Amino acid sequence: MKHIKVAAIILVYLVIYYGFQLVDFLFIGVQAAFKGIKGADLTKYLNDNSATVMIPAMIISFLIYFVILKARQKSILKICKINKIKTKSVFFIIGITATYALVLITISQYTIKYFPSYNETQNSISGTMSSVLGIVAVLILAPIFEEILFRGIILSEIRENLRVIPAVIIQAVIFGIYHMNIFQGIYTAVLGLILGYVCVRTMTILSSIIAHITFNVCGSFVFPILVYYVPQFSIAYIVAGTILFCLLMFNFNRSTKNEIRSIEKTNNQVC
């Protein structure tokens, strides 16, 4: 029964954000109708104005989450721990997500043809990032909001009833489903595992925010350009990226043991 209650609460959090996005999209759609924009131009118009949908939806949703948690006698600041991170750990976190992005972008060049529906997602992301506001929304604001929601609120809800490993796995699966696209859902579920792992290991949501921003920057700009202009080294990217990813994960896991012990002296609850 308690698991059903947790699932219902998580669903409410997700519906709130989706609901406000839908309302904002409808508002923009009405604007487009008054301007006489139709067909393919309408899709482009919606994509180009996605940032004006995302930002209000994130702000309003965050405020509602704050009220809901307060009503349940919970603090969003306590749920989303803001602890210090060692400089060494930050470099490991950036390296881990950057190498994952490199391997993913390279592999996707060969696999994306099997997921034609992802083209719409790519067009939507490209349209959103056609402005400075859109770039800020995708690369900075969305990662911060999603980390508060998934590695903060949702992971915390699940961890009240399950051990850390199944909790991290479940939130990662929810994170993948949340993106509503098969291909994007697969790689974001894996990303969710990484984000949940670094959050738990450092006991602060700051680490997963850093990792998420790194992934978005590398996945949107750095590695797509590298793979596009220097495709002849694709196999090398995959092999080198995988080896570096494993080495960084191993060393990050080892280096955060002492970090966890020091934090646990003053705080017994992970993010």
Side-chain angles (χ1 to χ4, degrees):
M1 190 68 182
K2 64 180 180 179
H3 296 313
I4 296 175
K5 182 180 178 181
V6 171
I9 291 171
I10 291 172
L11 183 61
V12 167
Y13 288 131
L14 295 175
V15 168
I16 287 170
Y17 181 48
Y18 275 123
F20 280 108
Q21 284 188 91
L22 179 60
V23 169
D24 290 339
F25 265 121
L26 288 174
F27 180 74
I28 293 175
V30 171
Q31 285 185 323
F34 277 111
K35 293 180 180 180
I37 302 173
K38 300 178 181 179
D41 291 334
L42 175 60
T43 301
K44 185 178 184 302
Y45 183 81
L46 292 174
N47 290 337
D48 290 346
N49 289 276
S50 291
T52 58
V53 171
M54 291 172 58
I55 295 174
M58 287 187 289
I59 293 173
I60 296 171
S61 296
F62 176 81
L63 293 175
I64 294 175
Y65 297 158
F66 179 85
V67 172
I68 291 174
L69 290 168
K70 189 173 182 180
R72 298 177 65 207
Q73 298 183 330
K74 294 184 177 183
S75 169
I76 198 166
L77 292 177
K78 288 183 179 180
I79 289 173
C80 303
K81 298 298 180 182
I82 311 297
N83 295 319
K84 291 182 179 180
I85 313 174
K86 291 182 179 178
T87 303
K88 182 170 64 173
S89 294
V90 172
F91 283 117
F92 280 134
I93 290 166
I94 291 173
I96 287 167
T97 41
T99 51
Y100 172 64
L102 174 60
V103 174
L104 172 66
I105 293 299
T106 308
I107 291 176
S108 68
Q109 304 302 308
Y110 302 101
T111 59
I112 196 67
K113 60 184 178 183
Y114 300 110
F115 301 93
S117 63
Y118 186 65
N119 291 328
E120 295 180 11
T121 301
Q122 285 184 312
N123 292 335
S124 177
I125 295 172
S126 298
T128 303
M129 296 180 66
S130 61
S131 65
V132 174
L133 183 63
I135 293 172
V136 172
V138 172
L139 300 186
I140 300 175
L141 299 182
I144 292 174
F145 174 79
E146 289 181 359
E147 291 314 303
I148 291 173
L149 176 56
F150 287 94
R151 261 59 65 180
I153 298 171
I154 290 178
L155 180 57
S156 175
E157 293 284 354
I158 299 171
R159 283 217 59 195
E160 288 182 3
N161 298 277
L162 294 173
R163 292 178 179 273
V164 62
I165 293 177
V168 169
I169 293 173
I170 290 171
Q171 64 81 29
V173 172
I174 296 172
F175 187 56
I177 295 172
Y178 155 83
H179 286 84
M180 305 293 286
N181 179 277
I182 295 176
F183 182 71
Q184 191 177 22
I186 293 171
Y187 74 72
T188 52
V190 177
L191 176 64
L193 287 173
I194 296 171
L195 297 174
Y197 174 76
V198 299
C199 179
V200 168
R201 289 299 299 181
T202 57
M203 303 183 77
T204 175
I205 201 173
L206 287 178
S207 59
S208 58
I209 289 174
I210 292 170
H212 201 150
I213 291 174
T214 300
F215 178 82
N216 282 14
V217 171
C218 291
S220 299
F221 289 112
V222 181
F223 296 135
I225 294 173
L226 176 66
V227 173
Y228 180 81
Y229 286 104
V230 195
Q232 61 269 30
F233 298 115
S234 293
I235 301 301
Y237 298 152
I238 295 172
V239 174
T242 302
I243 293 172
L244 284 172
F245 176 84
C246 293
L247 289 173
L248 288 165
M249 284 289 280
F250 174 79
N251 284 285
F252 171 74
N253 182 66
R254 188 171 62 177
S255 70
T256 50
K257 287 181 180 179
N258 292 330
E259 193 169 346
I260 289 174
R261 292 193 189 101
S262 63
I263 294 173
E264 283 180 335
K265 290 179 181 179
T266 55
N267 185 2
N268 293 320
Q269 182 184 6
V270 298
C271 58

